[in-house]
Amino acid sequence: MTDSHNSGQHKDREAAAAEVRRMWQPTPSWTQPDDNEAVEEKTEDAAEPADALSQDFPGDSWSAKPVDQPAPWTQPQTTPPAPSWAQPVPDSAASSWSQPEADDEEDVVPATDEPQHDAPVFGGSSFQNQDQQPTPPPAQPTQAAQPQPGQPQPGQFQQGQGGQNPGQPLSPAAQHFFPQGIPGQQQAPQPPQNLSFRTDDLIQALPLPREAPAERGVRSMLKLRPGTSERSERLARATAATAFRRPVTIVVANPKGGSGKTPTTLLLSGALGQARGGGVVAWDNNELRGNMHLRTHDTNSRSTVTDMLQAMPMLTQPDARLGDVAAYLRHQVAGQYDVLTSATTTYAQIEAKDFDQIHRLLSRFYKVLVIDTGNNEGSSNWREAMKAADALVIPIKWKSLSCAAAVQMLEELDNQGPEAQRLIRRAVIAVSNGPGDVNKDVEKQLRPYFESRAAAVIDIPTDMHIAAEGPLDHSALQPATRRAALELAAKVSEQITTALNTPR
């Protein structure tokens, strides 16, 4: 009685435990075959005769028939599964993100001469599309179709440096993890940027030249940069050497005799000639007799403007040369400029037509013409010079008569129309005083007037070489005088540039 009772309790406990196990056991997604049905199927299989394959190879797995509902992993896949980060991909796939498991059997590589199409994941060809299948080789390759060494094979990308195919883009998933491309592999060529190949842009992109070291003083010995004074002088020399787009004419005028017209003309011509390296001519446009032949060196000719007018039919020929014209000029070596002197006799007077012929001839061979005028404002050649002027230089001394004549000339020009008024606004006042010529009261009263009417007032210091009234040699001038002459040339060049760039 007791034993049967205990046996019944034991069976109840086992049944309860089995029920709990069934409740907590996860239900599989597939249908589990019944044990009774499996026994019946085995009986039916044993009753059927074995085929030839099973007789030859008894006990192999293919001799047993699959169940009616096999497991999902044994069913053939008609389409490749979607790419997954953890799902293993068949070995036939071209690329994969997951490495093959260690316990899988390695594929046996056949010992043939055919090239292998399988590439490592991060080696050979970069990530290919899983839907893309390699092209099968032809059944019977001919001699011409044999693969050549170093050539890409069908179904295989051409390998670049590091195994990366430059023309194959990365997949979206690969670009997410490698936005700059796979390290150590050659990237695809980038499209060229829109670069400008204009000459002006290329010239502006060039580095600026280094500033030359100082040329004088202690800075020159130490190879240092120039100081403020030397840098300012270099700037003035560069401005005086401005390349104008056509020949230009500078007129030096003051009706008062002895106001310094001829020395100022020679100083300005020499400063321009030294800065520009030549191409400058000084012309004494006095209607009768000027003083320029007395203030210049008689180098190779004593010809005057009268002789040039007589040779004008020959000099105006199309085959005329600079050497033909230079035979009637005086070349000043120190200042690098030429001089055309006025007539030394009273038998010929220069008229307007004569001025026009000489002006056209000199403009053919020289870039800058500096014209010294006479004292007669009513003469035709004086008026023609004012009409041809691109810039006006008014030499004065701080003396009453010299300044009064300059003021009267400015008032007369102011009544000649807009062109003359613009010429006055671009005028440069050159103050050159000899020993004892400075009147402080006149300078105090008239300097503000000239500064308000003209573009600039340049002071030329007293130089005994100029006061000697002999031939003016630029190499004999004081450094301060040469520096003032260069400043005058730079200021005049600025006004010419303004005149050429301002529409009339």
Side-chain angles (χ1 to χ4, degrees):
M1 186 74 171
T2 305
D3 294 338
S4 61
H5 177 71
N6 293 336
S7 176
Q9 291 181 353
H10 179 70
K11 292 180 179 181
D12 294 340
R13 285 195 298 268
E14 288 181 355
E19 183 66 23
V20 171
R21 284 194 297 271
R22 284 195 300 269
M23 293 175 60
W24 287 98
Q25 184 176 3
T27 303
S29 61
W30 60 85
T31 303
Q32 200 168 14
D34 190 16
D35 297 337
N36 298 328
E37 295 178 358
V39 174
E40 294 177 357
E41 290 175 357
K42 290 181 180 179
T43 305
E44 294 176 357
D45 294 340
E48 293 180 358
D51 54 2
L53 187 61
S54 61
Q55 293 177 2
D56 296 338
F57 301 93
D60 287 344
S61 58
W62 56 72
S63 62
K65 291 186 177 181
V67 296
D68 295 339
Q69 295 181 356
W73 56 79
T74 61
Q75 295 179 0
Q77 298 290 339
T78 58
T79 59
S84 173
W85 291 94
Q87 180 181 358
V89 184
D91 297 337
S92 60
S95 63
S96 174
W97 284 95
S98 60
Q99 299 291 345
E101 297 180 358
D103 56 350
D104 293 343
E105 295 182 1
E106 298 180 358
D107 297 335
V108 179
V109 180
T112 60
D113 297 336
E114 295 294 334
Q116 301 298 325
H117 300 286
D118 294 339
V121 176
F122 293 100
S125 301
S126 63
F127 309 98
Q128 305 173 2
N129 190 354
Q130 293 183 359
D131 296 337
Q132 181 179 0
Q133 300 296 334
T135 305
Q140 295 180 358
T142 59
Q143 183 67 23
Q146 292 295 332
Q148 299 296 332
Q151 295 184 356
Q153 306 302 324
Q156 180 181 11
F157 291 113
Q158 184 177 1
Q159 301 295 329
Q161 183 179 359
Q164 171 69 19
N165 180 25
Q168 181 70 14
L170 297 179
S171 62
Q175 292 179 1
H176 177 74
F177 284 88
F178 300 98
Q180 302 298 333
I182 299 178
Q185 296 188 359
Q186 182 179 1
Q187 305 299 327
Q190 300 295 332
Q193 300 178 357
N194 294 330
L195 302 177
S196 176
F197 294 97
R198 295 189 305 172
T199 304
D200 296 339
D201 296 339
L202 294 177
I203 292 177
Q204 292 178 2
L206 296 177
L208 296 177
R210 295 184 58 184
E211 185 178 14
E215 299 176 356
R216 58 176 181 265
V218 179
R219 290 178 175 270
S220 175
M221 294 184 294
L222 298 179
K223 303 297 182 181
L224 299 177
R225 292 183 177 181
T228 304
S229 177
E230 187 173 355
R231 187 175 287 110
S232 176
E233 182 177 348
R234 289 182 178 182
L235 179 60
R237 186 180 298 111
T239 306
T242 302
F244 307 117
R245 63 172 181 264
R246 62 171 178 80
V248 296
T249 302
I250 305 171
V251 175
V252 181
N254 188 336
K256 177 65 176 70
S259 59
K261 292 188 296 295
T262 301
T264 302
T265 301
L266 299 180
L267 285 175
L268 179 59
S269 300
L272 289 171
Q274 290 176 339
R276 303 175 64 90
V280 181
V281 59
W283 174 13
D284 188 357
N285 186 36
N286 197 302
E287 66 275 8
L288 289 177
R289 182 187 294 118
N291 297 324
M292 191 170 288
H293 67 286
L294 300 175
R295 305 301 305 266
T296 57
H297 292 283
D298 184 7
T299 53
N300 59 351
S301 174
R302 293 190 178 183
S303 300
T304 63
V305 65
T306 306
D307 301 322
M308 179 176 286
L309 288 173
Q310 294 176 356
M312 194 62 65
M314 182 267 296
L315 298 177
T316 54
Q317 294 296 321
D319 58 348
R321 298 162 297 181
L322 176 60
D324 300 330
V325 178
Y328 299 90
L329 305 176
R330 297 184 177 188
H331 181 69
Q332 306 300 300
V333 179
Q336 301 182 36
Y337 66 99
D338 297 333
V339 175
L340 177 60
T341 60
S342 62
T344 58
T345 62
T346 58
Y347 296 103
Q349 183 173 346
I350 304 300
E351 303 292 342
K353 59 180 181 61
D354 301 327
F355 176 89
D356 292 338
Q357 291 181 2
I358 297 174
H359 186 266
R360 285 196 302 268
L361 177 64
L362 295 180
S363 298
R364 287 179 53 188
F365 300 101
Y366 292 91
K367 299 179 181 179
V368 180
L369 283 68
V370 184
I371 300 178
D372 182 14
T373 59
N375 303 330
N376 186 4
E377 299 176 67
S379 61
S380 60
N381 63 327
W382 194 97
R383 292 183 178 275
E384 289 298 318
M386 285 297 174
K387 293 179 182 179
D390 295 302
L392 175 62
V393 177
I394 304 175
I396 62 172
K397 298 179 182 296
W398 292 127
K399 299 172 66 174
S400 300
L401 297 179
S402 177
C403 292
V407 171
Q408 293 175 357
M409 184 188 68
L410 291 175
E411 292 179 352
E412 181 67 23
L413 291 175
D414 201 8
N415 298 326
Q416 300 299 321
E419 290 294 331
Q421 293 173 0
R422 282 192 290 267
L423 187 62
I424 293 175
R425 289 193 297 269
R426 297 193 304 266
V428 178
I429 309 299
V431 183
S432 59
N433 296 299
D437 289 341
V438 179
N439 189 329
K440 295 295 184 180
D441 295 335
V442 174
E443 178 182 3
K444 183 178 179 180
Q445 293 177 2
L446 295 180
R447 179 180 285 272
Y449 168 79
F450 287 112
E451 290 177 349
S452 62
R453 294 298 304 272
V457 177
I458 304 299
D459 292 289
I460 300 175
T462 302
D463 196 308
M464 298 306 299
H465 177 69
I466 300 176
E469 297 184 350
L472 196 150
D473 189 352
H474 283 263
S475 61
L477 296 172
Q478 297 294 326
T481 306
R482 290 196 297 268
R483 180 69 179 84
L486 180 60
E487 186 68 24
L488 175 63
K491 188 61 64 174
V492 172
S493 297
E494 288 181 3
Q495 301 307 313
I496 295 175
T497 303
T498 302
L500 295 180
N501 296 332
T502 301
R504 296 186 177 182

